[in-house]
Amino acid sequence: MGLLRKIRATGKVAEPAPPRPQGDAPEKARELGGSVQVRCVDAGSCNGCEIEIAAAFNPVYDAERYGARLVASPRHADVALVTGPVTRNMAEPLRRTVAAMGEPRLVVAVGDCAVNCGEFAGGYGVEGAVSDVVPVDLQVPGCPPEPAEIIAALRRVTGR
């Protein structure tokens, strides 16, 4: 019973939330009500951004406390986090994934490769940046971007 008393006496221990990110939220984000379902799409990346997205949702950074939750289906998603340059084989699946999402939907390009093809610019198998294939609402630059930057973009969407 000593452990339960200690837990009760200590209470919740958490770091304070960082300040709200600067910048305006996209117009569509106001309709989402402060909570979003997120679907990650790898359009041809080196997997660096996916590791940072996974870190953004782990207990250290905890993106869920700001109203962002990962989902397995684009039909349940409000936001698509797209990483990597869009390869020729992924261009049509990316269009279909975004089309399967309900309205309002937002697309966030995560990483330099998604924003401007990065190291893969001019590659024979590269269709282009994410904005060349689907409309992009937010961009998160970096190679790879830190989890805090990914969370800042999601906080702009949720308004929390």
Side-chain angles (χ1 to χ4, degrees):
M1 281 304 205
L3 180 62
L4 290 176
R5 267 190 236 125
K6 186 174 183 178
I7 291 171
R8 199 173 300 130
T10 303
K12 291 183 180 177
V13 179
E15 296 178 14
R20 289 186 183 266
Q22 299 298 320
D24 295 330
E27 286 293 320
K28 300 176 199 174
R30 295 191 179 110
E31 299 176 36
L32 297 174
S35 178
V36 294
Q37 312 303 313
V38 179
R39 172 73 175 137
C40 298
V41 179
D42 179 353
S45 76
C46 67
N47 210 31
C49 294
E50 283 79 10
I51 293 170
E52 299 301 319
I53 289 171
F57 284 89
N58 74 15
V60 174
Y61 291 96
D62 195 18
E64 287 198 20
R65 69 179 162 163
Y66 302 114
R69 192 175 129 240
L70 289 174
V71 293
S73 171
R75 297 194 185 278
H76 300 154
D78 304 312
V79 175
L81 292 182
V82 184
T83 61
V86 181
T87 62
R88 291 186 178 160
N89 291 339
M90 279 300 295
E92 187 58 30
L94 177 60
R95 286 186 195 100
R96 289 181 182 182
T97 299
V98 172
M101 296 169 57
E103 290 286 343
R105 60 178 165 243
L106 290 109
V107 176
V108 180
V110 178
D112 288 343
C113 294
V115 173
N116 60 15
C117 295
E119 295 293 318
F120 302 101
Y124 69 93
V126 175
E127 182 84 14
V130 176
S131 60
D132 297 336
V133 178
V134 294
V136 172
D137 299 294
L138 279 175
Q139 296 178 345
V140 183
C143 185
E146 294 184 12
E149 296 170 6
I150 296 168
I151 290 175
L154 291 172
R155 289 183 71 192
R156 283 181 58 194
V157 171
T158 62
R160 292 185 177 186

